[in-house]
Amino acid sequence: MGCGVTVLWRVLGPLEVWAGGCWTGVDEPKRRALLAALLASSGRVVPVEQLIDELWGDDPPSGARKLVSNHVSRLRRFVGDLAGDVVVTRAPGYLLCVSAADVDAGRFEELLAEGRAALADGQADRAAQTCAEALALWQGPALADVPRALDGAGRPAEALAAYEQARQVIATELGADPGHGLQQLHRRLLAGDGVTAAVTPGARTTREAAPAVPRQIPGPVRHFVGRADEMRRLSRLLDEAAGGSAMVISAIDGTAGVGKTALAVHWAHQVSDNFPDGQLYVNLRGYDPDQPVAAADALAGFLRALGVPGSDVPVDADERAALYRSLLAGRRVLVVLDNASEVDQVRPLLPGSLTCVTVVTSRDSLSGLVARDGATRLDLGLLSHAEAVNLLRALIGERAGADPAATQALADQCCRLPLVLRVAAEFAAARPAASLSDLVDELNDQQRRLELLDAGGDQRTAPQAVFAWSYQHLDLSTARTFRLLSLHPGPDLDIYAAAAITAATLDETSRELDRLVRAHLVQFASPGRYSMHDLLRSYASEQANAQDGEEEVRAAATRVFDHYLHAAAVAMDVLYPAERQRRPRPVPPVTPSPPLTRAAAAREWLESQRATLVAVAAHTAARGWPSQAIALSATLFGYLQQIGAYPDAYTVHTCAWRAAQQTGDRAAEAAVLNRLGIMYWGLGQFEQAAGHLEHALSLSREISDLAGEARTLCNLGLVDITQGRHETAARHLRQALAMHDELGDRLGQTRTLGNLGSVEARCGRYLQAAGHYREALAIARDIGDQPGEARTLMRLGSIELNQGRYEAAADYQQRAIGLFRELCIREGEAQALAVLGDVESRRGWYQQAAQCQRQSLATYRELGERPGEARALNGLGEALLGSGQPGQAHMQFAAALNLASETDHTYAQARAHYGLGRAYRALGDISQAGHHLREALTSYTGLGDPTAEEVRAELRTVEQPGAAAVLGAMHMPDAPMP
């Protein structure tokens, strides 16, 4: 068809591409789906609208056409089609330039036709040989790793039918049984397990990423009564869903306090056995006036519950939704979306699989879900009179049975709303000496007062009356606590935060929280943590604004924000004392702080409060506390970076950036941009990292902020090192070091010296590198910078490795690993394990080397560190190659090359080419060996890396057999500057 580039494709199994001299899986799901769609219509133009539908279904993101164009560009780069000869742009979409012989499915058809012709000519042996060759092309079910595949698309019946058709053809025409892969697929389908995801070695798959079985449904409701008809209807809908007729979404709508959550939770517990893959739950807080949960944040929580490390949760909301749907494909999971405010808050959270059931509760009718998404609405009315009375009898006890008239009157006064009935029942139970009739009369008076004040009343009168009835009988201190708790921005709070809001002691706060829990005005969220129903929060907020005044409300909110900022700073000082001067020093609060003097307690507090800290960052940035938002970004930077919590880091830092822009604080803006740059560096998005850092550098220079300029230059040097720009890196780092020396910034000195050492090491100047490392180590130990000490030990070990001193190299790595583990810095531990694996490979201890690399690989994948993942895959390839497994080594190197190409990690690309060249040589493919070795030689030469000489020697063994080669080790840049 006139294409200038030849690319081969495999679709009979996982989707793979022969490009760059090797078979490689397509790791990115959207790109894989795009390629599958183009292959399915090879030779025909596929309109962009059709591709959008294939990639996102009925819910495409904004800018979908641009996203398709981006995916096409990356696909072209992936297959080496820089001129657009293979993936051709042709209105109104794209055309894949491919012939039948370029695809294994086309070759299968050709071989099958040859076999039939040979059989017709009486050449049985030739027919058998040709058909066997055709069968060998099948690596598993067609497009096994593409959600277009039948079972993966929730069409197991069609998948079984396709298997049976294939079995009959193979048996009739070839006289054979299906291959092992197809038989395994058949057994999985019959068992209901579905198709296994991608099997490309080294590629992360949804099955690998989601081993967790979440059990998030809250505890069952005490004294649940009535709702028998609604329970039966929900169960009927579940039966219909089990038949595969449609995805069922039950939108339970009703007024506040009618028992929507109680019904959903009670039913969820009854049917939990029907969902062996787990149950997901989120309170969307849709009617919270301050902090409704955004769909993107809910998706992040679901992904973590499904086993995705926080660091691996995509920053983009559409990508989160896509990953969420992929993880739930084929799984039986119940999803409960509680207290939704609108359809747009719900739709991104809907699974795409027919095997999942979603229950949505809302005060809104959510008609859009019914019209567009096929939801079945269940309108939840008030309890019947008998049900309301029965609930009061269960809650109050004998007094309710002894005075049935008063009990019935109380049920009417509470408008038969379960929440209001529970509050009223607790109020009555707390006053055993008063008759029920007297309490009913008192509530009548309260309702009349509210009706008069409201000039006619509304639907909220009864709940407000009951709340006011209960609230007005609280002592003054407890009532004040109830009002001020409504100011807390997070999903729940502990006793220390409650004490900060009220400026009370822990003992006083504990007693008041106990009273509020007994009165059902506050509820337990988890052991030691409390939350408030949104209807009660709204009532409490109204009372706070009316009774406490704007000044006291702001003071209370400020106290709790300062509490979180101070506690976070204390925790960070315990974990990272050397960076103490880089963080703001908040004023200690007047109320007690949690005991965070031990590292374990500090880490536990930061993790348990992470969702609240993110909520505080968003609230303070948007509601008039910009300095707290900026300070929180600076305080949490190191922690969020070390654990790889990139989505949370993105929220915290972007909120701080917005706050800095609003206040015109250019120094703060530069500092936040610096942090965002390092966040993108950790994600392997080097172009975005450099852009933010260059902006930060410009701002720092404009305002003559020498310290900010020095830190940004150091981080720019870090990006330069990663991309192999050694001269530029050295220039940036030397400028930074001079500024740190002038400022007397010793932490800056040790970090910058470490990075300078990495530049020297990568250029083969090991003596100079060691000098920088030793100077950095001395400063790190002097100032107590243990993370810096661990990284420098690791790098000194790399120097020993490159000079052939393996015992010393291993000793350095073991010491670094021990220190990283003590500090719980998992990314550093993964680096040191990878270098230790290189040491063991060089010693010929390949089994130990592979074990180290696999541990490193698992950690990097959990953290979402894609550059590190490529590094570990390369190391594993080295170990396998050394142990005489070139085929397995080839797969690891190929996967590393794929990852390194996506992240533009030049060193990892060069090392992968070098490994592939040696693997192909061992496999006897001299042509491909030469190709990859030449690619590696070009890369290493361009980088100025001494490994180029080793590659050149290896290349001579291909061109002139007999020459020797040795393995090279990678040097890692130092840590970023906060």
Side-chain angles (χ1 to χ4, degrees):
M1 298 179 65
C3 298
V5 179
T6 299
V7 183
L8 305 180
W9 318 87
R10 281 179 176 165
V11 298
L12 302 179
L15 182 56
E16 292 184 309
V17 180
W18 179 274
C22 63
W23 286 109
T24 306
V26 184
D27 189 35
E28 207 283 319
K30 282 285 186 288
R31 205 170 310 148
R32 194 160 59 233
L34 170 69
L35 177 55
L38 292 172
L39 277 167
S41 301
S42 58
R44 300 193 305 274
V45 175
V46 184
V48 172
E49 286 73 16
Q50 180 179 336
L51 292 173
I52 291 173
D53 185 63
E54 292 283 354
L55 269 60
W56 292 285
D58 293 333
D59 191 22
S62 60
R65 296 180 68 90
K66 176 64 175 174
L67 290 174
V68 170
S69 176
N70 290 342
H71 283 301
V72 169
S73 297
R74 292 172 183 167
L75 179 60
R76 285 171 173 158
R77 185 171 64 179
F78 176 64
V79 301
D81 177 32
L82 300 181
D85 292 328
V86 176
V87 185
V88 180
T89 302
R90 186 168 298 171
Y94 298 94
L95 164 72
L96 186 65
C97 183
V98 61
S99 67
D102 295 334
V103 186
D104 58 354
R107 180 60 179 152
F108 174 83
E109 295 289 347
E110 290 177 350
L111 289 169
L112 199 59
E114 291 177 15
R116 288 170 176 157
L119 191 62
D121 291 341
Q123 303 177 44
D125 290 342
R126 183 185 169 199
Q129 181 179 357
T130 304
C131 290
E133 186 179 347
L135 278 175
L137 292 172
W138 283 85
Q139 304 296 313
L143 297 174
D145 57 345
V146 182
R148 290 176 62 258
L150 289 175
D151 180 71
R155 295 153 62 191
E158 293 177 60
L160 284 167
Y163 171 87
E164 180 58 24
Q165 182 181 12
R167 187 196 66 76
Q168 291 177 3
V169 169
I170 293 171
T172 303
E173 299 190 2
L174 306 179
D177 291 325
H180 177 68
L182 284 177
Q183 291 186 33
Q184 276 193 325
L185 167 65
H186 186 231
R187 285 192 292 269
R188 286 197 302 272
L189 289 172
L190 290 175
D193 292 335
V195 178
T196 303
V199 296
T200 305
R204 290 172 300 170
T205 69
T206 56
R207 293 291 179 182
E208 291 174 334
V213 178
R215 306 290 185 192
Q216 294 188 325
I217 303 299
V221 180
R222 178 172 169 262
H223 296 309
F224 184 87
V225 300
R227 305 302 193 194
D229 290 342
E230 290 86 352
M231 290 286 289
R232 282 193 293 268
R233 188 174 176 192
L234 284 169
S235 296
R236 281 199 303 271
L237 293 173
L238 177 61
D239 292 339
E240 293 173 11
S245 59
M247 178 173 70
V248 175
I249 306 166
S250 298
I252 307 174
D253 68 282
T255 189
V258 79
K260 301 180 295 295
T261 299
L263 173 62
V265 168
H266 185 72
W267 180 77
H269 280 286
Q270 298 295 314
V271 301
S272 61
D273 289 345
N274 292 277
F275 301 96
D277 294 319
Q279 302 94 45
L280 294 168
Y281 171 89
V282 63
N283 181 358
L284 294 171
R285 300 175 65 183
Y287 296 90
D288 189 309
D290 293 326
Q291 291 294 325
V293 177
D297 294 333
L299 284 167
F302 279 174
L303 290 174
R304 287 192 290 267
L306 290 166
V308 178
S311 58
D312 215 14
V313 174
V315 172
D316 181 77
D318 291 331
E319 291 182 8
R320 290 184 190 181
L323 178 57
Y324 167 68
R325 290 191 293 268
S326 297
L327 290 176
L328 292 187
R331 303 180 73 187
R332 291 198 59 78
V333 174
L334 175 64
V335 182
V336 178
L337 308 176
D338 198 12
N339 289 319
S341 62
E342 57 185 3
V343 170
D344 289 343
Q345 193 184 22
V346 170
R347 192 164 280 135
L349 304 174
L350 300 180
S353 174
L354 298 178
T355 57
C356 296
V357 171
T358 306
V359 175
V360 185
T361 76
S362 177
R363 298 183 202 173
D364 187 84
S365 63
L366 301 178
S367 56
L369 286 185
V370 178
R372 175 173 165 181
D373 300 282
T376 302
R377 188 167 67 234
L378 190 158
D379 294 319
L380 192 62
L382 304 175
L383 290 175
S384 69
H385 195 276
E387 289 170 340
V389 169
N390 287 338
L391 179 57
L392 286 174
R393 286 175 175 168
L395 295 170
I396 297 175
E398 294 180 359
R399 275 197 303 161
D403 193 346
T407 303
Q408 292 175 7
L410 184 58
D412 291 335
Q413 287 174 323
C414 295
C415 292
R416 306 198 307 276
L417 287 168
L419 173 65
V420 184
L421 287 164
R422 289 179 183 277
V423 174
E426 182 56 40
F427 178 76
R431 288 156 182 77
S435 72
L436 213 54
S437 296
D438 289 342
L439 296 176
V440 167
D441 291 340
E442 185 179 339
L443 181 55
N444 268 330
D445 291 340
Q446 180 68 46
Q447 285 181 319
R448 280 195 292 271
R449 284 196 297 272
L450 284 174
E451 287 170 2
L452 289 172
L453 289 172
D454 193 52
D458 60 23
Q459 292 182 343
R460 297 190 304 161
T461 298
Q464 282 189 319
V466 174
F467 295 161
W469 186 36
S470 187
Y471 163 72
Q472 289 175 4
H473 283 79
L474 298 172
D475 63 75
L476 292 178
S477 178
T478 307
R480 177 175 175 271
T481 298
F482 171 69
R483 297 194 302 270
L484 296 183
L485 289 181
S486 67
L487 306 177
H488 187 267
D492 51 37
L493 78 168
D494 62 11
I495 190 173
Y496 293 98
I501 292 177
T502 59
T505 68
L506 291 182
D507 286 342
E508 292 168 343
T509 305
S510 178
R511 287 193 296 271
E512 289 163 4
L513 286 170
D514 286 344
R515 292 176 189 135
L516 291 172
V517 169
R518 288 197 302 271
H520 285 275
L521 297 176
V522 165
Q523 62 194 27
F524 283 115
S526 60
R529 304 194 67 81
Y530 305 84
S531 64
M532 187 181 290
H533 187 281
D534 59 353
L535 194 60
L536 286 163
R537 179 189 290 270
S538 177
Y539 175 78
S541 179
E542 290 176 3
Q543 296 304 311
N545 290 325
Q547 298 189 39
D548 296 297
E550 182 179 350
E551 184 176 345
E552 172 56 16
V553 165
R554 184 171 179 85
T558 302
R559 283 195 300 270
V560 76
F561 301 150
D562 288 345
H563 155 76
Y564 281 117
L565 184 57
H566 178 264
V570 170
M572 292 297 291
D573 287 349
V574 171
L575 295 176
Y576 311 105
E579 299 173 6
R580 188 175 189 273
Q581 298 306 317
R582 296 287 174 83
R583 292 186 287 269
R585 309 313 309 163
V587 178
V590 295
T591 55
S593 294
L596 302 176
T597 56
R598 297 170 62 95
R603 276 190 293 271
E604 182 180 354
W605 186 88
L606 285 168
E607 185 57 32
S608 66
Q609 301 288 347
R610 181 144 55 100
T612 296
L613 291 169
V614 174
V616 169
H619 188 95
T620 53
R623 303 257 174 186
W625 285 267
S627 61
Q628 281 90 339
I630 294 167
L632 202 56
S633 166
T635 301
L636 294 176
F637 167 75
Y639 170 70
L640 296 175
Q641 195 72 22
Q642 292 286 5
I643 66 171
Y646 297 119
D648 290 340
Y650 179 82
T651 299
V652 170
H653 300 327
T654 51
C655 287
W657 188 13
R658 184 169 63 249
Q661 289 175 317
Q662 289 171 352
T663 59
D665 189 340
R666 291 194 292 170
E669 184 179 358
V672 174
L673 285 166
N674 188 27
R675 295 176 205 125
L676 281 167
I678 289 305
M679 182 203 74
Y680 281 113
W681 172 79
L683 286 167
Q685 299 178 23
F686 303 130
E687 184 177 347
Q688 294 93 324
H692 282 79
L693 291 171
E694 291 286 359
H695 191 182
L697 183 63
S698 176
L699 283 174
S700 295
R701 286 174 171 167
E702 285 178 15
I703 61 176
S704 301
D705 180 4
L706 193 64
E709 183 178 352
R711 287 195 289 271
T712 307
L713 282 168
C714 183
N715 290 334
L716 275 169
L718 188 63
V719 176
D720 292 330
I721 293 171
T722 308
Q723 296 191 288
R725 297 190 293 266
H726 295 151
E727 291 185 6
T728 305
R731 183 174 68 253
H732 283 148
L733 292 168
R734 290 192 182 104
Q735 291 173 0
L737 185 59
M739 293 176 185
H740 287 312
D741 291 343
E742 180 181 344
L743 294 165
D745 185 348
R746 304 194 74 201
L747 179 64
Q749 290 169 343
T750 185
R751 297 288 169 82
T752 308
L753 284 165
N755 283 351
L756 272 172
S758 295
V759 173
E760 300 289 2
R762 287 188 166 180
C763 294
R765 298 188 287 268
Y766 301 131
L767 183 62
Q768 295 91 324
H772 287 313
Y773 288 153
R774 290 194 177 96
E775 188 177 356
L777 182 62
I779 298 174
R781 286 173 169 169
D782 191 46
I783 65 175
D785 178 19
Q786 288 186 301
E789 178 182 353
R791 292 182 188 280
T792 309
L793 288 170
M794 176 179 65
R795 286 163 176 78
L796 281 167
S798 295
I799 294 294
E800 299 294 330
L801 168 62
N802 278 278
Q803 298 181 91
R805 296 191 285 266
Y806 303 137
E807 289 294 335
D811 179 66
Y812 272 121
Q813 298 315 316
Q814 294 288 7
R815 289 159 60 190
I817 290 168
L819 192 49
F820 280 130
R821 286 176 176 167
E822 180 183 333
L823 298 170
C824 293
I825 301 178
R826 302 193 64 213
E827 178 269 339
E829 179 187 349
Q831 282 195 39
L833 279 167
V835 180
L836 180 59
D838 290 339
V839 175
E840 306 296 39
S841 285
R842 294 277 284 271
R843 291 204 280 195
W845 298 357
Y846 299 117
Q847 184 175 354
Q848 295 93 321
Q851 183 178 3
C852 288
Q853 300 293 359
R854 288 190 175 102
Q855 291 178 27
S856 174
L857 182 61
T859 301
Y860 275 129
R861 283 178 174 166
E862 187 177 341
L863 294 174
E865 280 267 3
R866 294 173 74 78
E869 189 176 338
R871 179 185 307 133
L873 284 165
N874 274 325
L876 181 57
E878 300 282 6
L880 293 168
L881 188 60
S883 63
Q885 303 177 67
Q888 291 294 318
H890 165 274
M891 290 190 288
Q892 307 307 322
F893 288 128
L897 181 60
N898 184 24
L899 276 173
S901 299
E902 287 188 357
T903 58
D904 199 24
H905 198 303
T906 52
Y907 270 101
Q909 291 177 54
R911 194 179 184 193
H913 277 301
Y914 187 19
L916 281 168
R918 286 174 289 133
Y920 274 116
R921 176 181 174 236
L923 291 167
D925 192 334
I926 301 302
S927 174
Q928 286 301 321
H931 164 75
H932 283 286
L933 290 172
R934 282 187 286 274
E935 288 285 335
L937 181 60
T938 300
S939 296
Y940 279 126
T941 301
L943 293 168
D945 192 286
T947 311
E949 292 304 315
E950 301 171 7
V951 179
R952 188 173 284 110
E954 186 70 37
L955 187 57
R956 284 197 296 270
T957 67
V958 173
E959 299 172 343
Q960 304 171 18
V966 293
L967 301 179
M970 292 292 292
H971 286 270
M972 307 305 152
D974 211 315
M977 294 295 297

